[in-house]
């Protein structure tokens, strides 16, 4: 039998069912069995039969629970990997190239003897592949050729970080195919961030990649970005009686890189004016004392964003403490406070260049109308028109979904679950 036929038979016979149950939940096993089988067929249609075995890999999207725009100034975050992911069917190749066919997109081809940044690739997936391979090589790790067919159910532009999931997936492939799985999840995350910053051209922090790579519910302290302190939390959100609902307002992130970049840029400008490189190296009190000088030099928005950083950074500690104590009521209040701070001080709910497009503001208003005194709601992820995060009592989920989907369209409300794994070779879990 051909390698693809062997793998398809294993999928059909249920050889991966236990793994799929661990990754996605028992109710998703049949769906994932069919999804992976479709990806195998997509690989063969694209690349033909491989000479050797096929490998299955997965990297999840992530939900930021606390720490909105704190990571890029060495702050704290609370986040979780989710049950939406990017998967790949992979085969080693003797050619000195990486070919990645993402379903629905043109194929990306990167030659392994051409790993310098290519200006024309910025903001395209090829730059991420090239950047990750280049970083592996620069760190003395092995880089080898492969072909991969990928498909994703991580919503693009949703705050679930589809780009980080893709980056981590490429890192996972290079790790298991070329380095015997020796590269840590933390190092894969750093490599992925490097590719996004230097090759893709987006000045992101490390939250997205670290959460996707490490997985589960994690709190991360980035005081030392070379050695972030990562702790997994033993908390079962499913047992709280609340559903995690992500509402996609349908905003377009394509031309808003400058809006995202302005957030860390302005925070860093305040830090530099205070004589340090990151806000984590100064204090709320010190910034308060210097507001007259700071606002004259940098403007009011930069000061407000710095004040958000300090409050949000401390709030993460309180959120973690509330979850550890099992105090979900206190946790909900902190979630609402986080969202209010993002709206009022961080100002990442809508883009200043497109004030007529305020879908996220509307989604937050609807959530407050339905959930006030019952649940919690906040900006999710980078902001600027993406998604909101809502903790909805199970009994209210139908009404909540009906209301938001009547405004933002069918399928705009997504019920997610926390996934216990980060980026993985599916065969090895």
């Amino acid at each position: 039998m051909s390698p693809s036929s062997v793998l398809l038979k294993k999928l059909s016979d249920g050889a991966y069912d236990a793994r799929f149950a661990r990754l996605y939940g028992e109710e998703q096993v049949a769906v994932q069995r069919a999804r992976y089988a479709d990806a195998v067929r997509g690989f063969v249609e694209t690349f033909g039969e491989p000479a050797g075995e096929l490998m299955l890999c997965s990297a999840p999207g992530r939900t930021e629970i606390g720490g909105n725009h704190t990571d890029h100034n060495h702050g704290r975050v609370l986040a979780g990997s989710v049950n939406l992911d990017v998967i790949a069917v992979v085969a080693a190749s003797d050619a000195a190239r990486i070919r990645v066919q993402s379903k629905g997109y043109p194929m990306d081809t990167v030659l392994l003897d051409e790993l310098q940044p290519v200006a024309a690739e910025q903001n395209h997936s090829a730059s991420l592949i090239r950047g990750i391979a280049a970083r592996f090589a620069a760190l003395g790790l092995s880089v080898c050729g492969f072909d991969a067919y990928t498909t994703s159910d991580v919503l693009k532009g949703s705050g679930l970080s589809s780009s980080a999931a893709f980056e981590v997936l490429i890192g996972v492939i290079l790790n298991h195919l070329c380095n015997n799985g020796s590269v840590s999840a933390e190092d894969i995350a750093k490599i992925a961030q490097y590719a996004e910053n230097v090759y893709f051209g987006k000045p992101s922090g490390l939250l997205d990649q670290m959460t996707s790579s490490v997985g589960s519910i994690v709190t991360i302290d980035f005081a030392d970005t070379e050695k972030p302190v990562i702790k997994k939390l033993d908390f079962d959100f499913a047992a709280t009686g609340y559903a995690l609902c992500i509402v996609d307002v349908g905003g377009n992130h394509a031309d808003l890189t400058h809006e995202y970049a302005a957030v860390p840029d302005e925070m860093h400008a305040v830090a530099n004016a205070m004589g340090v490189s990151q806000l984590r190296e100064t204090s709320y009190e010190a910034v308060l004392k210097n507001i007259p000088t700071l606002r004259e030099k940098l403007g009011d928005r930069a000061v407000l964003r710095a004040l958000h950083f300090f409050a949000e950074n401390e709030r993460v500690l309180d959120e973690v403490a509330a979850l550890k104590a099992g105090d979900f009521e206190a946790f909900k209040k902190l979630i609402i406070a986080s969202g209010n701070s993002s709206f009022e001080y961080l100002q990442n709910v809508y883009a200043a260049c497109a004030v007529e497009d305020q879908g996220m503001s509307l989604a937050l208003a609807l959530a407050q109308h339905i959930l006030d005194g019952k649940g919690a709601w906040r900006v999710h992820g980078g902001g600027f028109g993406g998604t909101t995060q809502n903790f909805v009592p199970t009994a209210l989920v139908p009404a909540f979904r009906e209301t938001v989907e009547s405004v933002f369209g069918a399928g705009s409300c997504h019920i997610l679950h926390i996934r216990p794994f980060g980026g993985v070779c599916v065969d090895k879990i």
Side-chain angles (χ1 to χ4, degrees):
M1 294 176 68
S2 66
S4 67
S5 297
V6 171
L7 183 51
L8 286 170
K9 187 175 189 307
K10 289 172 68 177
L11 288 166
S12 177
D13 290 347
Y16 284 86
D17 285 4
R19 296 181 177 96
F20 291 157
R22 297 175 72 193
L23 281 173
Y24 306 103
E26 290 284 354
E27 72 282 358
Q28 280 287 309
V29 168
V31 171
Q32 296 302 327
R33 191 190 304 143
R35 180 184 177 217
Y36 278 78
D38 284 344
V40 173
R41 287 187 282 268
F43 179 98
V44 174
E45 290 171 5
T46 303
F47 302 109
E49 278 293 343
E53 292 184 353
L54 289 167
M55 180 173 72
L56 302 179
C57 295
S58 160
R62 68 98 181 101
T63 182
E64 169 207 281
I65 300 168
N68 195 217
H69 278 282
T70 54
D71 57 327
H72 47 61
N73 267 260
H74 293 201
R76 306 180 185 96
V77 299
L78 176 64
S81 57
V82 298
N83 57 319
L84 301 180
D85 63 348
V86 188
I87 65 171
V89 178
V90 187
S93 169
D94 292 333
R97 70 185 177 205
I98 293 172
R99 295 189 296 179
V100 178
Q101 176 64 66
S102 296
K103 184 179 180 179
Y105 294 89
M107 184 186 296
D108 292 315
T109 300
V110 171
L111 302 180
L112 297 183
D113 58 355
E114 297 177 7
L115 295 181
Q116 294 303 311
V118 176
E121 283 183 350
Q122 279 206 349
N123 293 305
H124 296 284
S125 55
S127 68
L128 298 173
I129 300 165
R130 192 180 305 276
I132 291 166
R135 193 60 177 163
F136 263 77
L139 293 172
L141 298 167
S142 295
V143 178
C144 56
F146 65 82
D147 295 327
Y149 183 90
T150 79
T151 182
S152 174
D153 60 9
V154 183
L155 310 169
K156 290 184 71 66
S158 65
L160 298 175
S161 201
S162 58
S163 59
F166 179 80
E167 295 156 17
V168 168
L169 183 72
I170 299 300
V172 166
I173 293 170
L174 287 172
N175 184 25
H176 287 280
L177 203 61
C178 321
N179 293 276
N180 297 314
S182 63
V183 187
S184 71
E186 292 82 1
D187 285 339
I188 289 175
K190 293 174 190 176
I191 291 168
Q193 184 206 20
Y194 172 87
E196 183 159 314
N197 290 173
V198 178
Y199 280 68
F200 189 82
K202 184 177 179 180
S204 71
L206 193 53
L207 161 63
D208 298 349
Q209 294 85 357
M210 193 64 76
T211 308
S212 176
S213 191
V214 172
S216 193
I217 303 173
V218 293
T219 177
I220 310 171
D221 190 330
F222 290 112
D224 180 353
T225 56
E226 290 303 310
K227 296 180 180 179
V229 179
I230 305 164
K231 297 180 180 178
K232 289 193 176 186
L233 294 184
D234 183 17
F235 185 84
D236 185 3
F237 271 109
T240 63
Y242 288 79
L244 172 59
C245 302
I246 301 296
V247 176
D248 183 357
V249 305
N252 185 356
H253 289 204
D255 60 350
L256 298 181
T257 297
H258 63 288
E259 292 278 2
Y260 293 105
V263 175
D265 286 351
E266 291 179 12
M267 287 186 181
H268 286 132
V270 172
N272 293 339
M274 296 296 296
V276 296
S277 59
Q278 312 290 339
L279 285 177
R280 185 66 180 272
E281 298 166 351
T282 183
S283 68
Y284 183 87
E285 292 74 20
V287 169
L288 279 180
K289 290 178 182 177
N290 286 276
I291 283 180
T293 301
L294 291 169
R295 69 187 297 239
E296 180 178 355
K297 182 178 181 180
L298 303 172
D300 292 335
R301 190 175 71 172
V303 176
L304 289 167
R305 284 175 164 170
L307 295 180
H308 163 84
F309 170 87
F310 294 113
E312 185 76 349
N313 198 44
E314 292 303 309
R315 194 175 291 116
V316 169
L317 294 178
D318 295 335
E319 289 167 345
V320 171
L323 291 179
K324 286 183 175 180
D327 190 347
F328 205 70
E329 290 302 311
F331 172 79
K332 289 189 299 178
K333 291 178 182 177
L334 291 163
I335 289 293
I336 294 170
S338 172
N340 289 341
S341 182
S342 293
F343 205 152
E344 297 167 7
Y345 305 122
L346 183 62
Q347 299 179 40
N348 68 330
V349 173
Y350 58 89
C353 65
V355 295
E356 70 284 353
D357 183 7
Q358 296 197 34
M360 187 180 289
S361 307
L362 183 56
L364 292 169
L366 292 172
Q368 183 173 5
H369 170 70
I370 299 169
L371 301 177
D372 201 10
K374 305 179 185 72
W377 57 95
R378 70 189 284 270
V379 180
H380 183 239
F384 300 111
T387 56
T388 63
Q389 180 186 73
N390 308 271
F391 292 91
V392 183
T394 303
L396 284 180
V397 168
F400 181 84
R401 170 175 269 164
E402 180 180 2
T403 299
V404 298
E405 292 194 350
S406 72
V407 175
F408 299 108
S412 56
C413 180
H414 303 272
I415 312 300
L416 302 184
H417 305 283
I418 300 297
R419 157 173 157 157
F421 297 94
V424 293
C425 173
V426 179
D427 301 271
K428 298 183 183 298
I429 61 171

